[in-house]
Amino acid sequence: MKPLFLLASSSLLAMTLAACGGSGTSAAPVAAPTELAAVHTPPPDYPIELACAGIGGISTLKVVVGTEGIPTEVGVFKSSGQPALDEAAQKAVHGWQFRAATRNGQPVSQTIQVPVNFTPPQERPNQCFALDSQRQG
């Protein structure tokens, strides 16, 4: 005959496991979510006419990154004020690559805002001199 204490302890353990939904076996672990991460984000081509004129700005884009880590939608959220800069930013971001965010171990789409900064070059690019000649000629 088992002592009453051991019998009570065994019953308590069984009730605790049942309350947790377990029968001594553990459920499959749930994968921790991961955040979207940039993998390859080359800078956009700076429109040479604007670079030569010293015009810059920030184009803020709304980007939907699909489950494959590739932008599926790219639109202007806030314009730089220069359509050529906005277009260059959109073109570049369409080619970017990300590691998709995950939830429960599965990739998910995510929408983000991406600022693309165009800072005029400190020194005037050599191509500017050819543009100047064409304008005068």
Side-chain angles (χ1 to χ4, degrees), residues 13-27:
L13 178 60
M15 287 189 299
T16 303
L17 287 175
C20 292
S23 59
T25 60
S26 61

Side-chain angles (χ1 to χ4, degrees), residues 23-94:
S23 59
T25 60
S26 61
V30 176
T34 61
E35 295 302 316
L36 183 70
V39 173
H40 184 65
T41 57
D45 291 331
Y46 205 127
I48 192 66
E49 298 82 13
L50 297 178
C52 293
I55 297 171
I58 299 174
S59 296
T60 303
L61 306 178
K62 177 182 173 185
V63 181
V64 178
V65 179
T67 58
E68 299 295 319
I70 297 170
T72 58
E73 295 177 40
V74 178
V76 176
F77 179 76
K78 183 178 179 189
S79 175
S80 65
Q82 296 293 326
L85 294 181
D86 296 339
E87 289 172 26
Q90 287 179 295
K91 182 178 178 184
V93 172
H94 267 293

Side-chain angles (χ1 to χ4, degrees), residues 44 83 98 134:
F98 297 84
Q134 290 173 358

